[in-house]
Amino acid sequence: MSPFVRKLRHGARLGEDDEAILAGLAEPARRLDRGDIVPEGAEPRSVILVLEGWACRYKQLENGKRQITSVLLPGDLGEPFGALPRVMDHAVGALTPVLLVRVPPHALHRAVRASPRVEAALWWDLLAAQALQREHLVSLGRRSAVERLGHFLCEVHLRLGLVGLVEQSSCDIPLTQGDLADLLGLSAVYVNRSLQELRGSGLISLRGRRLTLHDVQALRELSMFSPDLLLPQGVTLAPAATAPA
Amino acid sequence: MSPFVRKLRHGARLGEDDEAILAGLAEPARRLDRGDIVPEGAEPRSVILVLEGWACRYKQLENGKRQITSVLLPGDLGEPFGALPRVMDHAVGALTPVLLVRVPPHALHRAVRASPRVEAALWWDLLAAQALQREHLVSLGRRSAVERLGHFLCEVHLRLGLVGLVEQSSCDIPLTQGDLADLLGLSAVYVNRSLQELRGSGLISLRGRRLTLHDVQALRELSMFSPDLLLPQGVTLAPAATAPA
DNA sequence: CGGTTGCTTGAGATCCATCAATAGGAGTGG
DNA sequence: CCACTCCTATTGATGGATCTCAAGCAACCG
């Protein structure tokens, strides 16, 4: 089952036909190694859909610093489903080896036209991505290092759960401490120390690439994480496209 | 001329008919004082469009801190044109008295159906807003206080220019230093000191609410601001909806 | 006027970055 | 199996950027 379909089920009531449409978008898939998928300045001709592995959007600054703008998990689209920018203002990179699809715009367009429920699901996805983006911003602006870390771990735990990649509060986090630093606006050294603090307080384990949240509730309170973020279903404009009121 | 139309002209080639459609969305307008327009937790029934004054999206944290997530200038939509969240995960507030419209979803939907150029323009707007959001994130994560300030001033200068609110490198910035702090993830005191640094280096004047950029180029370099951000026209999926290739 | 709000300035405390060095693992070739 | 290398994690020490607290001012306003 494609993680794309799995995720979008949370955004709209999909029928079998709808899921077939979405599944049809998820091929043919290609495997790529770590590294740039779409460089900054490129003129994209398709929308990226991640099926396995982790990717990210990032910006490289002139002074050598890097900021990861968002993390793309299995089931995530790299660009909004409705339009592509003429030229990329940021890069998309694979943080691990990935399996992905390049969905041609017309295919997405056809899918949207074919089913209002698919359209509703895609809008929900877009809204959810924006909500995550806002939370990320709040983290960088107003949360301490430990809180940022905790918040991100909660977020990943929730998002991976949506696509069935969490077992018993455990999931894989294939990020380097350097990656985490670039994501959270910290230095790698301080990420290390903050992680130790979280481990020390017994809230998490993180060894190798395996993360376990020992007390999800406590971690959420510590980092001011609200799981409602992803719940609000998008209400598409077309009256018919909405789930039953 | 509605700032909404003015801005969207930069995103697609609009005909008179298209502009009429967009102008029709911008009424009836209402005046509101400073304060919340849409509180967090509300269930929105319309999309907000700002015509005059400044508004913002923000989140209030449990620990009392506030983070402004984005600034809404004249011509800006408060939510994506295609869908409303079931419940607001953030608040929208007026930073100054504002003139705004509450656009009912079905009106936007009709406008999009009526003209592929209108649709393209709205997608461009959405893409542009996302690009701004990413830059904001980069600022909070990887730029110093002075750089953040400079970058924001460049951004405002550019955005206000799009809607005809800049004269001779001067424009109004009706924000409190406290507002700037909440926007840029700083303390009000440090915003003050950083502003003095910018003034001291002769790059800007900011007195009362009036901002003047004395050397736009230098300020852009200092703060790593790229004006290309808003240029990339969105390419809507429908082949016909795109400006001539 | 007195009250409120926003700007400014000073001094000290904190959080986090930076620099530098060590240690652990995974892969590679001999 | 060992020596070597590369990459990541870890630790210590120091400095700097920014925050917080506190006070004084200026402007506006009923």
Side-chain angles (χ1 to χ4, degrees):
Chain A
M1 168 61 54
S2 151
F4 189 44
V5 175
R6 264 197 139 92
K7 183 178 62 163
L8 291 187
R9 274 180 188 162
H10 296 272
R13 266 177 227 286
L14 301 176
E16 284 184 16
D17 43 346
D18 300 319
E19 300 198 351
I21 291 173
L22 291 170
L25 293 175
E27 51 193 31
R30 283 212 272 162
R31 254 172 221 294
L32 285 185
D33 269 342
R34 282 190 63 156
D36 267 14
I37 299 171
V38 185
E40 182 168 340
E43 304 186 359
R45 322 193 111 274
S46 57
V47 175
I48 285 183
L49 168 58
V50 179
L51 295 178
E52 291 174 20
W54 288 37
C56 70
R57 278 188 272 262
Y58 72 91
K59 284 209 169 203
Q60 188 77 44
L61 274 67
E62 297 144 19
N63 59 16
K65 295 180 178 176
R66 179 174 79 140
Q67 177 66 47
I68 293 180
T69 268
S70 55
V71 168
L72 302 177
L73 303 182
D76 284 341
L77 287 175
E79 294 80 30
F81 68 93
L84 283 169
R86 196 166 53 69
V87 39
M88 295 289 285
D89 68 312
H90 62 284
V92 178
L95 295 168
T96 70
V98 290
L99 180 67
L100 57 78
V101 196
R102 292 175 193 271
V103 186
H106 63 81
L108 270 168
H109 190 254
R110 235 186 300 119
V112 165
R113 291 273 168 169
S115 159
R117 286 170 306 281
V118 166
E119 186 181 4
L122 289 171
W123 275 110
W124 168 81
D125 186 47
L126 192 151
L127 253 37
Q130 289 195 346
L132 292 174
Q133 191 87 352
R134 279 189 290 270
E135 274 301 322
H136 191 181
L137 221 129
V138 172
S139 274
L140 300 202
R142 291 302 188 211
R143 283 196 257 258
S144 72
V146 174
E147 289 165 352
R148 288 181 211 183
L149 230 2
H151 195 277
F152 175 66
L153 297 181
C154 287
E155 178 194 320
V156 163
H157 176 256
L158 183 63
R159 287 171 67 191
L160 287 180
L162 291 186
V163 291
L165 292 174
V166 171
E167 310 121 14
Q168 333 243 19
S169 310
S170 289
C171 50
D172 282 324
I173 303 243
L175 298 182
T176 273
Q177 294 184 356
D179 292 335
L180 280 171
D182 287 342
L183 176 69
L184 300 175
L186 300 167
S187 70
V189 172
Y190 209 67
V191 164
N192 183 296
R193 294 187 162 119
S194 303
L195 278 176
Q196 291 182 46
E197 201 174 321
L198 282 177
R199 279 192 281 243
S201 61
L203 289 171
I204 70 164
S205 304
L206 179 56
R207 292 176 39 179
R209 323 255 82 133
R210 195 70 183 169
L211 168 73
T212 304
L213 305 190
H214 295 120
D215 187 341
V216 178
Q217 201 46 45
L219 188 60
R220 286 181 174 174
E221 276 166 27
L222 165 74
S223 51
M224 297 170 283
F225 178 88
S226 160
D228 302 340
L229 266 185
L230 299 184
L231 296 186
Q233 275 127 337
V235 175
T236 304
L237 295 187
T242 316
Chain B
M1 168 59 56
S2 149
F4 189 43
V5 176
R6 263 199 141 91
K7 183 179 62 164
L8 291 187
R9 275 181 188 160
H10 296 274
R13 269 179 224 285
L14 301 177
E16 285 185 16
D17 45 342
D18 300 319
E19 300 197 353
I21 292 173
L22 290 170
L25 293 174
E27 51 193 31
R30 283 212 271 163
R31 254 172 222 295
L32 285 185
D33 270 342
R34 283 190 62 157
D36 267 13
I37 299 172
V38 185
E40 182 168 340
E43 303 185 0
R45 319 192 113 275
S46 56
V47 175
I48 286 182
L49 169 58
V50 179
L51 296 179
E52 292 174 20
W54 287 36
C56 71
R57 277 187 273 260
Y58 72 90
K59 284 210 169 201
Q60 188 77 45
L61 273 68
E62 297 143 19
N63 59 14
K65 295 180 177 174
R66 179 174 78 140
Q67 177 66 46
I68 293 180
T69 268
S70 55
V71 168
L72 302 177
L73 303 181
D76 285 342
L77 286 174
E79 292 81 30
F81 69 93
L84 283 168
R86 197 167 54 69
V87 41
M88 295 288 286
D89 68 313
H90 63 285
V92 178
L95 296 167
T96 70
V98 289
L99 179 67
L100 58 77
V101 197
R102 291 174 193 273
V103 187
H106 63 82
L108 270 168
H109 190 254
R110 234 186 300 120
V112 165
R113 291 274 168 167
S115 160
R117 286 169 306 281
V118 166
E119 186 181 5
L122 288 171
W123 274 111
W124 168 80
D125 186 48
L126 193 149
L127 252 37
Q130 288 195 346
L132 292 174
Q133 191 86 352
R134 280 189 290 269
E135 273 302 322
H136 191 181
L137 221 128
V138 172
S139 275
L140 299 201
R142 291 302 188 210
R143 284 196 258 257
S144 73
V146 173
E147 290 165 351
R148 287 181 213 185
L149 230 3
H151 194 276
F152 175 66
L153 296 181
C154 288
E155 178 194 320
V156 163
H157 177 256
L158 183 64
R159 288 171 66 189
L160 287 180
L162 291 187
V163 292
L165 292 174
V166 171
E167 311 123 13
Q168 334 240 21
S169 310
S170 289
C171 51
D172 281 325
I173 304 243
L175 297 182
T176 273
Q177 293 185 356
D179 293 335
L180 279 171
D182 287 342
L183 176 68
L184 300 176
L186 300 167
S187 70
V189 171
Y190 208 65
V191 164
N192 183 297
R193 294 187 162 121
S194 303
L195 277 176
Q196 291 180 46
E197 201 173 322
L198 282 177
R199 279 191 282 243
S201 61
L203 289 172
I204 69 164
S205 303
L206 180 56
R207 292 177 39 180
R209 323 254 83 134
R210 194 71 184 169
L211 168 73
T212 304
L213 305 190
H214 295 120
D215 187 341
V216 178
Q217 201 44 48
L219 188 60
R220 285 182 175 174
E221 275 167 27
L222 166 74
S223 53
M224 297 170 283
F225 178 87
S226 160
D228 302 340
L229 265 185
L230 298 184
L231 296 188
Q233 275 128 337
V235 176
T236 304
L237 295 187
T242 314

PDB file of all heavy atoms in Angstrom, chain B residues 100-117:
ATOM      1  N   LEU B 100     -10.775  45.111   5.149  1.00  0.00           N
ATOM      2  CA  LEU B 100     -10.669  43.764   4.604  1.00  0.00           C
ATOM      3  C   LEU B 100     -11.996  43.220   4.109  1.00  0.00           C
ATOM      4  O   LEU B 100     -13.065  43.755   4.421  1.00  0.00           O
ATOM      5  CB  LEU B 100     -10.051  42.823   5.626  1.00  0.00           C
ATOM      6  CG  LEU B 100     -10.711  42.652   6.990  1.00  0.00           C
ATOM      7  CD1 LEU B 100     -11.930  41.745   6.891  1.00  0.00           C
ATOM      8  CD2 LEU B 100      -9.715  42.012   7.947  1.00  0.00           C
ATOM      9  N   VAL B 101     -11.879  42.149   3.349  1.00  0.00           N
ATOM     10  CA  VAL B 101     -13.054  41.462   2.822  1.00  0.00           C
ATOM     11  C   VAL B 101     -13.037  40.042   3.328  1.00  0.00           C
ATOM     12  O   VAL B 101     -11.970  39.450   3.481  1.00  0.00           O
ATOM     13  CB  VAL B 101     -13.003  41.389   1.278  1.00  0.00           C
ATOM     14  CG1 VAL B 101     -14.375  41.069   0.723  1.00  0.00           C
ATOM     15  CG2 VAL B 101     -12.455  42.657   0.705  1.00  0.00           C
ATOM     16  N   ARG B 102     -14.208  39.513   3.591  1.00  0.00           N
ATOM     17  CA  ARG B 102     -14.306  38.079   3.854  1.00  0.00           C
ATOM     18  C   ARG B 102     -14.884  37.435   2.608  1.00  0.00           C
ATOM     19  O   ARG B 102     -16.067  37.597   2.304  1.00  0.00           O
ATOM     20  CB  ARG B 102     -15.222  37.822   5.039  1.00  0.00           C
ATOM     21  CG  ARG B 102     -14.626  38.295   6.356  1.00  0.00           C
ATOM     22  CD  ARG B 102     -15.614  38.154   7.487  1.00  0.00           C
ATOM     23  NE  ARG B 102     -15.172  38.875   8.668  1.00  0.00           N
ATOM     24  CZ  ARG B 102     -14.368  38.356   9.591  1.00  0.00           C
ATOM     25  NH1 ARG B 102     -13.949  37.114   9.461  1.00  0.00           N
ATOM     26  NH2 ARG B 102     -13.998  39.062  10.638  1.00  0.00           N
ATOM     27  N   VAL B 103     -14.043  36.750   1.879  1.00  0.00           N
ATOM     28  CA  VAL B 103     -14.473  36.168   0.613  1.00  0.00           C
ATOM     29  C   VAL B 103     -15.048  34.782   0.867  1.00  0.00           C
ATOM     30  O   VAL B 103     -14.354  33.914   1.398  1.00  0.00           O
ATOM     31  CB  VAL B 103     -13.290  36.054  -0.363  1.00  0.00           C
ATOM     32  CG1 VAL B 103     -13.786  35.602  -1.735  1.00  0.00           C
ATOM     33  CG2 VAL B 103     -12.552  37.376  -0.467  1.00  0.00           C
ATOM     34  N   PRO B 104     -16.286  34.564   0.488  1.00  0.00           N
ATOM     35  CA  PRO B 104     -16.872  33.239   0.685  1.00  0.00           C
ATOM     36  C   PRO B 104     -16.213  32.242  -0.268  1.00  0.00           C
ATOM     37  O   PRO B 104     -15.912  32.584  -1.413  1.00  0.00           O
ATOM     38  CB  PRO B 104     -18.346  33.435   0.347  1.00  0.00           C
ATOM     39  CG  PRO B 104     -18.398  34.679  -0.483  1.00  0.00           C
ATOM     40  CD  PRO B 104     -17.232  35.521  -0.077  1.00  0.00           C
ATOM     41  N   PRO B 105     -15.976  31.034   0.188  1.00  0.00           N
ATOM     42  CA  PRO B 105     -15.286  30.025  -0.613  1.00  0.00           C
ATOM     43  C   PRO B 105     -15.897  29.847  -2.000  1.00  0.00           C
ATOM     44  O   PRO B 105     -15.166  29.721  -2.985  1.00  0.00           O
ATOM     45  CB  PRO B 105     -15.453  28.757   0.220  1.00  0.00           C
ATOM     46  CG  PRO B 105     -15.624  29.232   1.608  1.00  0.00           C
ATOM     47  CD  PRO B 105     -16.303  30.557   1.533  1.00  0.00           C
ATOM     48  N   HIS B 106     -17.218  29.835  -2.075  1.00  0.00           N
ATOM     49  CA  HIS B 106     -17.805  29.546  -3.380  1.00  0.00           C
ATOM     50  C   HIS B 106     -17.491  30.652  -4.387  1.00  0.00           C
ATOM     51  O   HIS B 106     -17.394  30.404  -5.579  1.00  0.00           O
ATOM     52  CB  HIS B 106     -19.320  29.323  -3.252  1.00  0.00           C
ATOM     53  CG  HIS B 106     -20.061  30.528  -2.770  1.00  0.00           C
ATOM     54  ND1 HIS B 106     -20.436  31.564  -3.617  1.00  0.00           N
ATOM     55  CD2 HIS B 106     -20.485  30.887  -1.533  1.00  0.00           C
ATOM     56  CE1 HIS B 106     -21.069  32.486  -2.921  1.00  0.00           C
ATOM     57  NE2 HIS B 106     -21.114  32.107  -1.650  1.00  0.00           N
ATOM     58  N   ALA B 107     -17.289  31.878  -3.901  1.00  0.00           N
ATOM     59  CA  ALA B 107     -16.944  32.966  -4.812  1.00  0.00           C
ATOM     60  C   ALA B 107     -15.560  32.735  -5.421  1.00  0.00           C
ATOM     61  O   ALA B 107     -15.354  32.870  -6.630  1.00  0.00           O
ATOM     62  CB  ALA B 107     -16.980  34.297  -4.070  1.00  0.00           C
ATOM     63  N   LEU B 108     -14.619  32.339  -4.570  1.00  0.00           N
ATOM     64  CA  LEU B 108     -13.283  32.036  -5.082  1.00  0.00           C
ATOM     65  C   LEU B 108     -13.346  30.866  -6.055  1.00  0.00           C
ATOM     66  O   LEU B 108     -12.691  30.862  -7.098  1.00  0.00           O
ATOM     67  CB  LEU B 108     -12.351  31.681  -3.919  1.00  0.00           C
ATOM     68  CG  LEU B 108     -11.611  32.853  -3.291  1.00  0.00           C
ATOM     69  CD1 LEU B 108     -10.971  32.436  -1.988  1.00  0.00           C
ATOM     70  CD2 LEU B 108     -10.548  33.356  -4.253  1.00  0.00           C
ATOM     71  N   HIS B 109     -14.143  29.902  -5.680  1.00  0.00           N
ATOM     72  CA  HIS B 109     -14.247  28.726  -6.526  1.00  0.00           C
ATOM     73  C   HIS B 109     -14.780  29.091  -7.900  1.00  0.00           C
ATOM     74  O   HIS B 109     -14.284  28.640  -8.929  1.00  0.00           O
ATOM     75  CB  HIS B 109     -15.165  27.703  -5.848  1.00  0.00           C
ATOM     76  CG  HIS B 109     -15.152  26.376  -6.509  1.00  0.00           C
ATOM     77  ND1 HIS B 109     -16.183  25.911  -7.281  1.00  0.00           N
ATOM     78  CD2 HIS B 109     -14.204  25.416  -6.521  1.00  0.00           C
ATOM     79  CE1 HIS B 109     -15.893  24.717  -7.749  1.00  0.00           C
ATOM     80  NE2 HIS B 109     -14.691  24.384  -7.292  1.00  0.00           N
ATOM     81  N   ARG B 110     -15.773  29.957  -7.898  1.00  0.00           N
ATOM     82  CA  ARG B 110     -16.348  30.376  -9.172  1.00  0.00           C
ATOM     83  C   ARG B 110     -15.322  31.151  -9.999  1.00  0.00           C
ATOM     84  O   ARG B 110     -15.205  30.950 -11.206  1.00  0.00           O
ATOM     85  CB  ARG B 110     -17.599  31.233  -8.924  1.00  0.00           C
ATOM     86  CG  ARG B 110     -18.821  30.696  -9.656  1.00  0.00           C
ATOM     87  CD  ARG B 110     -20.018  31.617  -9.538  1.00  0.00           C
ATOM     88  NE  ARG B 110     -20.436  31.844  -8.162  1.00  0.00           N
ATOM     89  CZ  ARG B 110     -20.464  33.043  -7.582  1.00  0.00           C
ATOM     90  NH1 ARG B 110     -20.095  34.120  -8.258  1.00  0.00           N
ATOM     91  NH2 ARG B 110     -20.859  33.150  -6.324  1.00  0.00           N
ATOM     92  N   ALA B 111     -14.566  31.989  -9.315  1.00  0.00           N
ATOM     93  CA  ALA B 111     -13.559  32.782 -10.034  1.00  0.00           C
ATOM     94  C   ALA B 111     -12.522  31.876 -10.699  1.00  0.00           C
ATOM     95  O   ALA B 111     -12.126  32.077 -11.849  1.00  0.00           O
ATOM     96  CB  ALA B 111     -12.879  33.743  -9.071  1.00  0.00           C
ATOM     97  N   VAL B 112     -12.105  30.861  -9.958  1.00  0.00           N
ATOM     98  CA  VAL B 112     -11.107  29.940 -10.491  1.00  0.00           C
ATOM     99  C   VAL B 112     -11.649  29.189 -11.706  1.00  0.00           C
ATOM    100  O   VAL B 112     -10.961  28.995 -12.703  1.00  0.00           O
ATOM    101  CB  VAL B 112     -10.670  28.947  -9.394  1.00  0.00           C
ATOM    102  CG1 VAL B 112      -9.936  27.780  -9.999  1.00  0.00           C
ATOM    103  CG2 VAL B 112      -9.813  29.663  -8.357  1.00  0.00           C
ATOM    104  N   ARG B 113     -12.923  28.782 -11.596  1.00  0.00           N
ATOM    105  CA  ARG B 113     -13.527  28.061 -12.718  1.00  0.00           C
ATOM    106  C   ARG B 113     -13.704  28.956 -13.933  1.00  0.00           C
ATOM    107  O   ARG B 113     -13.648  28.512 -15.074  1.00  0.00           O
ATOM    108  CB  ARG B 113     -14.915  27.537 -12.311  1.00  0.00           C
ATOM    109  CG  ARG B 113     -14.881  26.428 -11.290  1.00  0.00           C
ATOM    110  CD  ARG B 113     -14.712  25.087 -11.982  1.00  0.00           C
ATOM    111  NE  ARG B 113     -14.403  24.063 -10.979  1.00  0.00           N
ATOM    112  CZ  ARG B 113     -14.439  22.764 -11.239  1.00  0.00           C
ATOM    113  NH1 ARG B 113     -14.776  22.334 -12.433  1.00  0.00           N
ATOM    114  NH2 ARG B 113     -14.129  21.909 -10.292  1.00  0.00           N
ATOM    115  N   ALA B 114     -13.935  30.226 -13.652  1.00  0.00           N
ATOM    116  CA  ALA B 114     -14.283  31.135 -14.739  1.00  0.00           C
ATOM    117  C   ALA B 114     -13.091  31.437 -15.651  1.00  0.00           C
ATOM    118  O   ALA B 114     -13.263  31.645 -16.844  1.00  0.00           O
ATOM    119  CB  ALA B 114     -14.847  32.438 -14.174  1.00  0.00           C
ATOM    120  N   SER B 115     -11.893  31.430 -15.079  1.00  0.00           N
ATOM    121  CA  SER B 115     -10.745  31.813 -15.897  1.00  0.00           C
ATOM    122  C   SER B 115      -9.475  31.082 -15.476  1.00  0.00           C
ATOM    123  O   SER B 115      -9.051  31.169 -14.332  1.00  0.00           O
ATOM    124  CB  SER B 115     -10.510  33.320 -15.784  1.00  0.00           C
ATOM    125  OG  SER B 115      -9.189  33.632 -16.179  1.00  0.00           O
ATOM    126  N   PRO B 116      -8.869  30.387 -16.410  1.00  0.00           N
ATOM    127  CA  PRO B 116      -7.614  29.697 -16.090  1.00  0.00           C
ATOM    128  C   PRO B 116      -6.498  30.678 -15.748  1.00  0.00           C
ATOM    129  O   PRO B 116      -5.571  30.318 -15.026  1.00  0.00           O
ATOM    130  CB  PRO B 116      -7.282  28.925 -17.363  1.00  0.00           C
ATOM    131  CG  PRO B 116      -8.146  29.492 -18.429  1.00  0.00           C
ATOM    132  CD  PRO B 116      -9.328  30.130 -17.782  1.00  0.00           C
ATOM    133  N   ARG B 117      -6.589  31.895 -16.243  1.00  0.00           N
ATOM    134  CA  ARG B 117      -5.559  32.879 -15.899  1.00  0.00           C
ATOM    135  C   ARG B 117      -5.711  33.327 -14.455  1.00  0.00           C
ATOM    136  O   ARG B 117      -4.732  33.536 -13.739  1.00  0.00           O
ATOM    137  CB  ARG B 117      -5.622  34.076 -16.849  1.00  0.00           C
ATOM    138  CG  ARG B 117      -5.082  33.751 -18.238  1.00  0.00           C
ATOM    139  CD  ARG B 117      -5.400  34.869 -19.213  1.00  0.00           C
ATOM    140  NE  ARG B 117      -6.825  35.187 -19.231  1.00  0.00           N
ATOM    141  CZ  ARG B 117      -7.752  34.465 -19.887  1.00  0.00           C
ATOM    142  NH1 ARG B 117      -7.392  33.401 -20.569  1.00  0.00           N
ATOM    143  NH2 ARG B 117      -9.020  34.815 -19.839  1.00  0.00           N
TER     144      ARG B 117
END
